[in-house]
Structure formats: structure tokens, C-alpha cells
Amino acid sequence: TSPRFLDDLRATLEMITCGEPFTLQVVGENKVFVTFESVPPPTLLLGGAAKPKAPEVCTLLPEEALVKDLPAGAHLIDLYGAGRWKFTVPMLNAQKVEREKAEKERLAKEKEEREREAKMSREEREERAKALAEERRLKREAEAKAQEDKRQAEAEQEERRKAEAEAERLQAEAAAKEEQRKAEETEEAQKAEAELAKAEEATGADAPAAAEEEAPKAEEP
């Protein structure tokens, strides 16, 4: 069973009863009770024609406890089968009926709007045109501001990127200078050690000669 079976059944019965109000109650499998909310005069069966006015001698006075006819909707349902369908009845699609109803309401609203606009005075049309122009202007300004904010954000992002790149470059240059300074210090230290070693070698070679010179001086009277 379709999940919208009851909606489709209600739409079908509304079509059969020509829109007469009723309530629908499920009492069992494939069984429903149809109850009419009101019992208006059966104008549908009479074609809606007005009753002719006759002299009072030809009419009956109001009587009570008279048998009343069933609602017109009950007679219309009976044409299809009151207890069981007499023949296969194609079910209406309630979703399609709802869409058609919404479309009719939309078209009616648009028609009413066009008629209202046609009846508007010249001043009202001018005021509305001004309001629409102002609305479009504000919309353009908002779009321009949004684009300007976007461009500004992109420019700020580009500036941050450049600043980060410049910081990385300066950091790399500082690291390279530090490496160069360390290399120069190491080279200078090596040179100093080499000069010191040479000086020590020279001092070691001159020491025996100085001792030999001092020894004869010490033997003189």
C-alpha cells in the first residue's frame, strides 16, 4: 500500500462528491467509514435550480419527524458503489492534486498582482520604481563592498606571504653569514695555531745556541 493511500483516497472521494465536506475513518483492512459533516439541501441532484413559488393552498406546512434524504455526496458515492466499488476506480494522485492546487494559487496570486499593478496610480508606480531602484542600488553597493573586501583580504594575504618570504630570506642570509663567520673564525684559529707552532719551533731551535753563548761567558775571570 502506498504511504499516501489515504490522501489519494480522500482526493478521489472529493472528486466523486464534488467537494462536499466529509470525514474519513479507517475501520479495517481496505475498509473506511465516510461521514458527511453537514446535510445541506440536495442542490446537486436538483441542478441548483430555484424552487418555484406557489400559493400557500398548494404547499404543505412545515412538518416534523419527516424522513430526510441522504446527503448528495452519499448518492454520488453510491454511483460507484457504497459498500464496494462496482467497477475499477482509478485513484487520483493526491501529490499531483496538491501541486496543481499550489500552481493554481500561484497563478491566481500573480494575476491579482498584475491587476493590482494595473490599477496603481502614477504616483504609486513612481514610488515603487524608486523603491526598486534603491533596492538595486543597495544590492550593487553590497556586491561592490563584498568584492572590495575580498580584494583587500587577498592583498593582505599576499602581503603576509611576501613578508613571510622576506623573513625566510633574511633568516637564510643570517644563517649563511653566521656560517661564513664561523668558517672565518675557524680559519683564523687554524692560522694562529700554525703561527704559534712555527714560533715554538723557532724558539726551540734558538735555545741551544743561546746556552752555548752563555757558557763561555761564565768561564771568563
Side-chain angles (χ1 to χ4, degrees):
T1 305
S2 172
R4 294 182 61 93
F5 173 74
L6 287 179
D7 296 333
D8 297 344
L9 180 60
R10 181 180 295 276
T12 305
L13 292 177
E14 285 178 354
M15 181 271 296
I16 292 174
T17 60
C18 299
E20 188 169 350
F22 63 88
T23 56
L24 196 66
Q25 183 180 3
V26 179
V27 295
E29 186 177 359
N30 296 329
K31 294 180 181 180
V32 294
F33 279 162
V34 179
T35 306
F36 291 92
E37 300 175 358
S38 61
V39 186
T43 55
L44 293 175
L45 298 181
L46 298 177
K51 295 182 180 180
K53 187 175 181 181
E56 293 183 358
V57 296
C58 299
T59 59
L60 296 173
L61 296 177
E63 300 180 17
E64 297 179 356
L66 294 178
V67 178
K68 292 185 179 180
D69 191 10
L70 293 174
H75 289 288
L76 294 173
I77 291 179
D78 187 50
L79 296 176
Y80 289 80
R84 183 188 301 272
W85 296 130
K86 298 176 182 178
F87 46 84
T88 302
V89 179
M91 300 287 287
L92 295 181
N93 190 334
Q95 206 168 17
K96 181 180 179 182
V97 173
E98 292 172 0
R99 287 198 301 268
E100 291 176 351
K101 182 179 179 182
E103 182 66 16
K104 288 180 180 178
E105 291 177 354
R106 185 184 66 81
L107 294 176
K109 187 176 180 181
E110 291 179 355
K111 182 180 179 182
E112 182 181 356
E113 181 68 17
R114 287 194 298 270
E115 291 177 354
R116 188 179 65 82
E117 290 180 355
K119 293 179 181 179
M120 288 172 60
S121 62
R122 180 179 178 183
E123 291 78 8
E124 290 176 342
R125 288 196 296 270
E126 291 178 354
E127 288 295 330
R128 184 167 184 181
K130 289 180 181 179
L132 291 175
E134 181 68 15
E135 183 179 355
R136 287 193 292 268
R137 184 184 65 80
L138 294 175
K139 185 177 180 181
R140 287 195 300 270
E141 289 180 356
E143 291 176 353
K145 187 176 183 301
Q147 292 178 358
E148 182 64 25
D149 294 341
K150 183 179 180 181
R151 285 195 296 269
Q152 187 175 359
E154 291 177 352
E156 291 177 355
Q157 186 177 2
E158 183 67 18
E159 289 295 331
R160 285 195 298 269
R161 189 185 63 78
K162 290 181 179 179
E164 291 174 357
E166 182 68 16
E168 292 178 358
R169 185 184 65 80
L170 294 176
Q171 187 176 2
E173 289 181 356
K177 289 180 180 180
E178 182 67 17
E179 291 291 334
Q180 184 178 0
R181 184 182 65 78
K182 289 181 180 180
E184 291 176 354
E185 289 179 354
T186 303
E187 186 178 356
E188 290 178 358
Q190 291 176 354
K191 288 181 180 180
E193 290 177 358
E195 291 177 357
L196 181 60
K198 288 180 180 180
E200 289 178 353
E201 290 178 359
T203 305
D206 294 340
E212 291 177 358
E213 291 178 356
E214 290 178 357
K217 289 181 180 180
E219 292 176 358
E220 292 178 0

